Amino acid sequence: MIKSMTGFGKAKAQCGDFLIALEIKSLNGKALDASVKLPVRYRELELEVRNIFSEKLTRGKIDCIATIEKTNAEPSLGIDPEAFTSLYKSLYSLAMKVGADTTNLLTYVLNQPEVKCSEQTELDEKEISAFLDLARNAAEQLDQYRVCEGAILEKDFVKRINIIGELLKEVEKYESGRCERIKDRLIARLKEIESVKTDDNRLEQEMIYYIEKLDITEEKVRLRQHLDYFLQCLSKEECQGKKLGFIAQEMGREINTLGSKANDADIQVLVVKMKDELEKIKEQVANIL
């Protein structure tokens, strides 16, 4: 089973008086690169959220955004009643003693920083747990998205690997007479050069040496092994993206060598088709976890 590195997850939850929505998406990346944007209220939990992503998502460029909305309809003045009452009474008492005007006393007291209270309240364990569960749920949704995308990619990989395998079988149809055709072509070229005298025995030895260098049996065997190994890795549980990339590189080497040694137009056509399928595989392998 393989997983795609791209995905999307979203989760919502009610935490006390707040409705929280957390969205997470991932793109290709060589390592885990997480960008986490949390509301001020939950910023202290950023490290724990990152740890959750690290355990669940393994690799990729991760973007996480959390939004918060207060569901309590009651308006908040942002005033500490006890501090306001204490300060107002103290100033009013002083004003009465000296006969000062108290017309704007209310406005003055309301503007004093010591009577203002922040709406930020301490997070309790229940709210912390709810928020972290939210992050886990979003990460789980993204992971399931990756699994679905991976299943689609796996079918495409199997299809293209099988196509390369069929093209490799077709090479054998042209291979049997290939060496004879090369030999006849070389002899014909030598006969065109009237001034060249040849030793038939030496010519035969050189011909055998030359044709042996053009033998593509090893390349076919290794390519077939790489194709089989690629399919085996697709069925394994652990992340296989990097390994599949290495196998694809080795497949490319064998296909290139086969093409350079073939010296045959029909086989070259098959090699070009193999390269086309392999390039499509490489493009998708970059998206595998």
Side-chain angles (χ1 to χ4, degrees), residues 14-127:
Q14 185 76 33
C15 297
D17 294 334
F18 301 99
L19 177 64
I20 305 168
L22 191 146
E23 292 185 5
I24 178 173
K25 64 179 180 179
S26 67
L27 299 173
N28 297 356
K30 293 183 178 180
L32 183 67
D33 179 15
S35 172
V36 180
K37 297 178 181 178
L38 304 180
V40 175
R41 181 176 181 78
Y42 299 107
R43 197 158 293 168
E44 64 187 79
L45 302 177
E46 180 176 337
L47 181 58
E48 294 181 64
V49 171
R50 287 180 178 275
N51 289 337
I52 291 172
F53 294 163
S54 178
E55 292 174 5
K56 190 68 179 176
L57 305 178
T58 310
R59 196 154 63 97
K61 187 179 185 303
I62 309 297
D63 285 319
C64 170
I65 298 178
T67 58
I68 182 171
E69 177 184 347
K70 191 167 184 179
T71 57
N72 186 357
E74 295 181 5
S76 174
L77 297 176
I79 300 297
D80 184 342
E82 294 183 2
F84 172 81
T85 302
S86 176
L87 181 61
Y88 186 87
K89 286 182 177 180
S90 298
L91 292 178
Y92 185 81
S93 177
L94 289 174
M96 291 298 98
K97 288 182 179 180
V98 298
D101 183 13
T102 60
T103 304
N104 297 319
L105 181 59
L106 178 62
T107 303
Y108 175 80
V109 174
L110 287 174
N111 288 327
Q112 299 311 299
E114 58 264 37
V115 304
K116 294 181 179 180
C117 64
S118 172
E119 294 187 14
Q120 175 76 28
T121 57
E122 292 293 327
L123 296 175
D124 56 28
E125 290 298 323
K126 184 178 180 180
E127 189 172 354

Side-chain angles (χ1 to χ4, degrees), residues 41-228:
R41 181 176 181 78
Y42 299 107
R43 197 158 293 168
E44 64 187 79
L45 302 177
E46 180 176 337
L47 181 58
E48 294 181 64
V49 171
R50 287 180 178 275
N51 289 337
I52 291 172
F53 294 163
S54 178
E55 292 174 5
K56 190 68 179 176
L57 305 178
T58 310
R59 196 154 63 97
K61 187 179 185 303
I62 309 297
D63 285 319
C64 170
I65 298 178
T67 58
I68 182 171
E69 177 184 347
K70 191 167 184 179
T71 57
N72 186 357
E74 295 181 5
S76 174
L77 297 176
I79 300 297
D80 184 342
E82 294 183 2
F84 172 81
T85 302
S86 176
L87 181 61
Y88 186 87
K89 286 182 177 180
S90 298
L91 292 178
Y92 185 81
S93 177
L94 289 174
M96 291 298 98
K97 288 182 179 180
V98 298
D101 183 13
T102 60
T103 304
N104 297 319
L105 181 59
L106 178 62
T107 303
Y108 175 80
V109 174
L110 287 174
N111 288 327
Q112 299 311 299
E114 58 264 37
V115 304
K116 294 181 179 180
C117 64
S118 172
E119 294 187 14
Q120 175 76 28
T121 57
E122 292 293 327
L123 296 175
D124 56 28
E125 290 298 323
K126 184 178 180 180
E127 189 172 354
I128 291 174
S129 177
F131 184 80
L132 295 180
D133 285 342
L134 192 70
R136 293 187 187 94
N137 291 339
E140 179 64 29
Q141 285 190 25
L142 188 146
D143 188 60
Q144 290 302 313
Y145 191 106
R146 284 177 161 186
V147 171
C148 294
E149 287 288 313
I152 296 172
L153 291 175
E154 183 172 350
K155 290 180 181 179
D156 187 68
F157 285 143
V158 172
K159 171 187 171 183
R160 300 194 185 283
I161 289 294
N162 288 336
I163 290 174
I164 294 176
E166 291 300 318
L167 292 170
L168 185 58
K169 289 180 182 179
E170 289 188 39
V171 171
E172 297 176 1
K173 294 192 306 183
Y174 304 104
E175 192 177 3
S176 57
R178 180 176 66 100
C179 292
E180 286 300 320
R181 289 196 298 272
I182 294 172
K183 180 179 178 180
D184 293 342
R185 189 162 64 245
L186 290 174
I187 292 175
R189 289 291 296 160
L190 287 172
K191 287 181 179 180
E192 291 177 4
I193 308 174
E194 298 178 355
S195 60
V196 175
K197 294 181 179 181
T198 59
D199 182 332
D200 290 340
N201 291 331
R202 181 61 185 275
L203 176 61
E204 190 70 24
Q205 292 175 5
E206 292 294 334
M207 198 72 69
I208 292 172
Y209 173 75
Y210 178 70
I211 291 176
E212 282 180 349
K213 289 186 66 176
L214 297 178
D215 182 65
I216 57 175
T217 302
E218 289 186 15
E219 285 74 18
K220 291 192 302 177
V221 170
R222 285 197 292 264
L223 180 55
R224 172 55 63 187
Q225 291 174 340
H226 293 328
L227 293 175
D228 292 340

